[in-house]
Amino acid sequence: MKEMLYWQALNQALDAEMAADETVFILGEDVGLFGGTYRVTEGLMAKYGEWRVRDTPISENSFTGLGIGAAMLGLRPVVEIMTLNFALLAMDALVNMAAKIPFMSGGQFSMPLTLRMPGGVAKQLGAQHSQRLESILMNVPGLRIVVPATPQDAYWQLRQAIRSNDPVVVLEHELLYFTQGRVDEGAMAPAIHQAVTRRSGEHLTCIAYSRMVQLALQAAETLAKENISMDVIDLRSLSPIDWDTCAHSLEKTHHCLIVEEDCRFAGAGAEIAATLQERCFFLLDAPIQRLGGLDLPTPFNRNLESASIPRTEDILTAARQLVNPG
Amino acid sequence: MDRMNLSAMLRDMLLARAFEEAAAEEYSRGNISGFLHLYPGEEAVAVGVLHAAEPGDYIISTYREHVHALVRGIPARQIMAELFGKKPGICGGMGGSMHLFDSTRRFLGGYAIVGETFPIALGAAYAITYRHLPEAVICFFGDGAVNQGTFHESLNMASLWKLPILFVCENNRYQIGTEIHRHSAVVEVYKRACAYAIPAEKVDGMDVLAVHDAARHALESIRSGDGPQLLELETYRYRGHSMADPGSYRPGSELLAYQAHDPIATAIQLSQSPYPSLEDIRSAGPDCLDQLTDHCSNNELLDEETLTRMKQEVQKIVEDALAFAQASEEPGMQDAWDAFLCNRRFETLMKSPT
Ligand SMILES: Cc1ncc(C[n+]2csc(CCOP(=O)(O)OP(=O)(O)O)c2C)c(N)n1
Ligand SMILES: [Mg+2]
């Protein structure tokens, strides 16, 4: 068991998989000599050489496609897209190739591709560099999407992603890279798509993922002082989603609040709410509530930026309203 | 000049034409639907190039790929059944005309988004070099695909890392209805390769021997680690872009001019000339005796009678493929789920405590 930063956990996961399996290689912009924009690939080129840690030109669609072709021949590429905003230029590779080749070939080819990308609203990066794409990717059958919120999950889920024969998108949050946590490299991991309960409560269920889990836990702390006890579920995976863990919690709390950073309209929360109400309608004492980012490109201004996505106060207000309406 | 293969190449060209004409007919009958892009006129390209391929090489093609698949050795039955969307099709009916794949024959697929073949080739070639293998990747694409970003991105990376790729441009001068002078500032595709320091050559794509020679030389050098090369093969499609396109934007005289150089007629002629010219013998180098023997035995193989037999034989193969496709069962929804979830069957992720 070690204390480490989120980026270090990712670095350890890459190192462990590269040491264990010669077919694992990394490619992306500035992943080699420079060590990665968020230091995630630091030291790996020196250790494994340039064929296993490949610096690429700025050609997202083609180097993502390179990963796909290599995966068809049995290598296990880990493609880093510098930030997920640039993944929009690789959408053809991701959506039309990675997600479809195994299927279109009638199951002849597997696709052991991992695609890592930092994203989310960070600190005043402007509208083009402050995005989330999860809902767009969730609508693509054939991709798995994981959203680790802690260093331990970053470690586990990246290793699992590399071992998966499905294409897995690892959405890393830019504000989580320098958060700290315990990583037990020897502990057994939950399944890659399994949700976990981060805190148990009786009165309402808060379903969150990635950085929003931190905010939900802070809110739960405050609510506890008001005798509102909130179950906090960290989804960990957005495709597939572990519906059972969510439903079991609703059997206990009968109230549900979903918190996401992505734009609320047609966001991940919309899918979660729709499916849970289909499945758990008669368990619910109130309509499922969603908190999400405003349907607005992220403003540059600091105050407006932070007001455009859910804050801890917003979770508190929504939770109080949900359990004590009126 | 490799005349040993001439009769095999001729047979494949005849098979290709018969297969495609049969597919067209089945389309008109409603047995095949969807987009159907046919290859008549361009046979010398796929046949010449793929007869220079080794079993260890990888092939990537576009949506106009039935003939590449046939020449690579995928049985006509399995291709035709796939065009019909049937269960014994090479992709179980999940791919269709534009998406033929065969992992055992290293056929990495037909791709229907223009420009996708380049990055797939890049990845396959990266894996070959990664493993230090003497194999090559053959990447087919049309003249329209060279204006896609992936062409430039991929040529750059292929050259930068000396990847073993033979880029093969099937220049039929049209991207659907847009003639090459209206879609490209530089109409000689091979000239673009010099921007990425890739050796490139333009070859008559109606002459199967010329295509074969060029491809063989290029592939030998590529397999030995000299880096990528590009071939521009000038050819012509006799039909419209797809079965949905009558091709009326092209002047009739243009079609007639190309048909006068029909690749199959040319191949037949080549194989029937009684003796090679003195010039041919001299240019064959020290091995001219071998060449002459080959050529003579070729002639014996390819008299009128043999040719007729060959045509009957390919016709039978096509008819058998059609009957097979007709009689085959449809896939069920469970087959679709099985194909979709193929990657999860043998998943070896880390162990879960619960
Ligand atoms: C990215 C993309 N844009 C447009 C199309 C529609 N489309 C299909 S084939 C084609 C023309 C391609 O021409 P070319 O590359 O010369 O190949 P050819 O059909 O002549 O063999 C177009 C525009 C497509 N499939 N993909
Ligand atoms: Mg064309």
Side-chain angles (χ1 to χ4, degrees):
Chain A
M1 183 96 77
K2 287 182 213 151
E3 281 284 325
M4 62 177 87
L5 301 174
Y6 188 95
W7 74 262
Q8 289 170 319
L10 291 165
N11 181 270
Q12 296 290 303
L14 288 170
D15 194 9
E17 288 303 312
M18 291 182 84
D21 183 351
E22 277 190 354
T23 66
V24 178
F25 74 102
I26 296 172
L27 75 163
E29 291 153 28
D30 278 325
V31 296
L33 270 185
F34 187 77
T37 315
Y38 291 95
R39 301 179 68 179
V40 172
T41 50
E42 201 170 84
L44 297 176
M45 189 189 205
K47 194 164 171 185
Y48 297 102
E50 67 171 352
W51 278 88
R52 296 192 66 192
V53 185
R54 175 60 74 184
D55 282 319
T56 65
I58 306 165
S59 306
E60 281 80 6
N61 203 16
S62 290
F63 73 68
T64 303
L66 188 163
I68 292 163
M72 291 173 82
L73 265 67
L75 297 189
R76 296 193 169 272
V78 183
V79 175
E80 174 176 309
I81 303 277
M82 189 177 261
T83 80
L84 66 70
N85 312 287
F86 320 138
L88 290 168
L89 290 142
M91 285 304 263
D92 183 56
L94 249 184
V95 177
N96 275 324
M97 301 196 230
K100 295 194 176 44
I101 287 169
F103 177 74
M104 292 195 305
S105 69
Q108 293 181 76
F109 287 94
S110 55
M111 191 52 63
L113 171 80
T114 301
L115 206 75
R116 297 183 32 243
M117 39 179 139
V121 176
K123 293 215 163 81
Q124 290 197 276
L125 302 183
Q128 288 188 328
H129 280 73
S130 308
Q131 303 184 79
R132 299 105 340 186
L133 296 180
E134 51 260 32
S135 66
I136 294 175
L137 297 174
M138 282 169 73
N139 200 241
V140 181
L143 298 178
R144 288 194 191 214
I145 304 163
V146 298
V147 276
T150 66
Q152 178 74 71
D153 277 345
Y155 178 78
W156 275 335
Q157 288 183 294
L158 179 53
R159 291 196 67 178
Q160 291 170 314
I162 294 170
R163 290 178 185 212
S164 169
N165 285 332
D166 272 332
V168 184
V169 178
V170 183
L171 295 177
E172 299 161 6
H173 199 290
E174 287 166 22
L175 291 185
L176 291 178
Y177 281 116
F178 296 93
T179 57
Q180 194 162 346
R182 280 197 209 151
V183 175
D184 184 346
E185 290 163 343
M188 281 206 288
I192 186 170
H193 63 278
Q194 192 177 315
V196 300
T197 306
R198 295 277 177 216
R199 179 185 175 117
S200 285
E202 303 291 318
H203 302 122
L204 80 155
T205 301
C206 179
I207 299 173
Y209 58 90
S210 189
R211 184 177 158 251
M212 290 295 126
V213 174
Q214 284 188 345
L215 274 60
L217 288 169
Q218 283 163 15
E221 197 69 40
T222 307
L223 291 168
K225 293 178 194 135
E226 303 166 18
N227 291 322
I228 298 175
S229 86
M230 185 162 82
D231 224 33
V232 177
I233 292 178
D234 177 356
L235 278 183
R236 298 175 75 249
S237 166
L238 290 175
S239 185
I241 286 177
D242 174 6
W243 299 112
D244 287 352
T245 298
C246 301
H248 289 149
S249 172
L250 293 185
E251 282 166 14
K252 175 176 67 173
T253 67
H254 310 287
H255 294 87
C256 184
L257 171 65
I258 300 161
V259 186
E260 66 186 310
E261 187 182 297
D262 205 350
C263 297
R264 205 179 96 115
F265 181 80
E271 173 59 36
I272 299 164
T275 302
L276 286 178
Q277 74 81 21
E278 279 169 354
R279 180 163 161 170
C280 307
F281 185 77
F282 297 104
L283 287 174
L284 293 169
D285 286 348
I288 295 175
Q289 296 297 306
R290 287 184 290 147
L291 265 183
L294 300 181
D295 298 312
L296 184 74
T298 308
F300 172 71
N301 174 276
R302 182 194 300 233
N303 300 327
L304 300 183
E305 177 187 70
S306 67
S308 72
I309 55 173
R311 294 163 295 196
T312 310
E313 309 88 83
D314 301 318
I315 301 177
L316 289 171
T317 311
R320 287 177 191 130
Q321 277 236 315
L322 187 56
V323 289
N324 298 315
Chain B
M1 214 193 284
D2 188 347
R3 287 181 179 241
M4 270 271 275
N5 286 327
L6 189 53
S7 83
M9 290 198 282
L10 179 58
R11 178 202 166 270
D12 276 357
M13 289 167 80
L14 290 168
L15 175 62
R17 177 108 14 131
F19 185 95
E20 293 291 70
E21 294 301 342
E25 212 170 299
E26 293 307 308
Y27 181 90
S28 311
R29 290 200 184 120
N31 286 328
I32 297 175
S33 40
F35 293 126
L36 185 69
H37 307 84
L38 301 177
Y39 208 60
E42 306 190 28
E43 292 92 346
V45 173
V47 173
V49 171
L50 293 178
H51 272 254
E54 296 285 342
D57 296 337
Y58 293 86
I59 290 108
I60 299 139
S61 189
T62 68
Y63 45 85
R64 198 185 295 287
E65 90 289 34
H66 312 156
V67 172
H68 307 76
L70 264 178
V71 179
R72 186 55 175 176
I74 306 179
R77 279 182 164 200
Q78 279 175 282
I79 300 173
M80 194 61 86
E82 190 62 35
L83 304 197
F84 277 59
K86 297 291 185 73
K87 185 166 171 161
I90 187 68
C91 300
M94 303 304 149
S97 159
M98 305 193 285
H99 305 296
L100 303 173
F101 290 80
D102 186 348
S103 62
T104 58
R105 293 183 181 84
R106 304 197 165 190
F107 197 81
L108 298 182
Y111 292 85
I113 309 292
V114 172
E116 284 186 338
T117 63
F118 308 113
I120 297 286
L122 210 55
Y126 196 91
I128 289 169
T129 310
Y130 194 92
R131 292 168 167 148
H132 310 290
L133 295 170
E135 298 165 347
V137 178
I138 301 170
C139 173
F140 290 96
F141 55 96
D143 51 291
V146 305
N147 297 316
Q148 190 65 287
T150 49
F151 173 78
H152 301 274
E153 296 180 353
S154 299
L155 261 64
N156 177 53
M157 284 186 268
S159 181
L160 186 63
W161 303 324
K162 281 188 114 186
L163 299 181
I165 306 176
L166 177 60
F167 293 102
V168 180
C169 180
E170 310 186 298
N171 184 356
N172 60 14
R173 298 190 32 221
Y174 281 87
Q175 80 176 32
I176 308 187
T178 307
E179 205 267 342
I180 191 164
H181 290 89
R182 295 177 58 239
H183 75 59
S184 281
V186 174
V187 296
E188 289 175 296
V189 169
Y190 79 99
K191 286 187 176 166
R192 298 187 181 213
C194 76
Y196 304 102
I198 292 178
E201 194 187 346
K202 178 155 77 170
V203 175
D204 179 1
M206 304 303 264
D207 178 348
V208 73
L209 289 179
V211 172
H212 184 250
D213 265 8
R216 203 180 39 134
H217 286 129
L219 283 168
E220 274 164 14
S221 136
I222 289 166
R223 285 189 209 102
S224 69
D226 294 342
Q229 293 194 29
L230 184 146
L231 288 180
E232 174 186 359
L233 306 178
E234 292 184 298
T235 184
Y236 200 74
R237 58 168 159 75
Y238 294 166
R239 292 180 162 274
H241 170 73
S242 72
M243 282 301 285
D245 166 30
S248 48
Y249 41 83
R250 302 184 305 182
S253 54
E254 190 178 285
L255 177 62
L256 289 176
Y258 277 96
Q259 279 176 333
H261 297 288
D262 183 76
I264 294 181
T266 310
I268 292 173
Q269 215 173 17
L270 277 167
S271 57
Q272 284 183 334
S273 61
Y275 292 105
S277 67
L278 260 178
E279 217 178 315
D280 276 349
I281 296 176
R282 286 206 195 97
S283 68
D287 235 341
C288 57
L289 200 65
D290 284 351
Q291 295 279 340
L292 187 62
T293 344
D294 288 350
H295 187 80
C296 292
S297 57
N298 262 350
N299 276 335
E300 237 162 77
L301 277 172
L302 291 169
D303 52 20
E304 271 308 323
E305 203 180 305
T306 320
L307 188 61
T308 315
R309 201 163 356 105
M310 213 183 249
K311 282 182 177 167
Q312 287 166 346
E313 182 208 330
V314 301
Q315 200 53 43
K316 243 196 238 150
I317 294 174
V318 171
E319 277 160 21
D320 168 72
L322 278 177
F324 177 79
Q326 290 273 21
S328 295
E329 62 172 321
E330 306 272 348
M333 194 49 82
Q334 189 54 46
D335 297 312
W337 287 112
D338 286 348
F340 183 65
L341 298 174
C342 63
N343 296 324
R344 305 198 182 171
R345 279 192 304 241
F346 309 107
E347 199 162 65
T348 48
L349 301 180
M350 296 158 84
K351 273 198 200 124
S352 165
T354 45

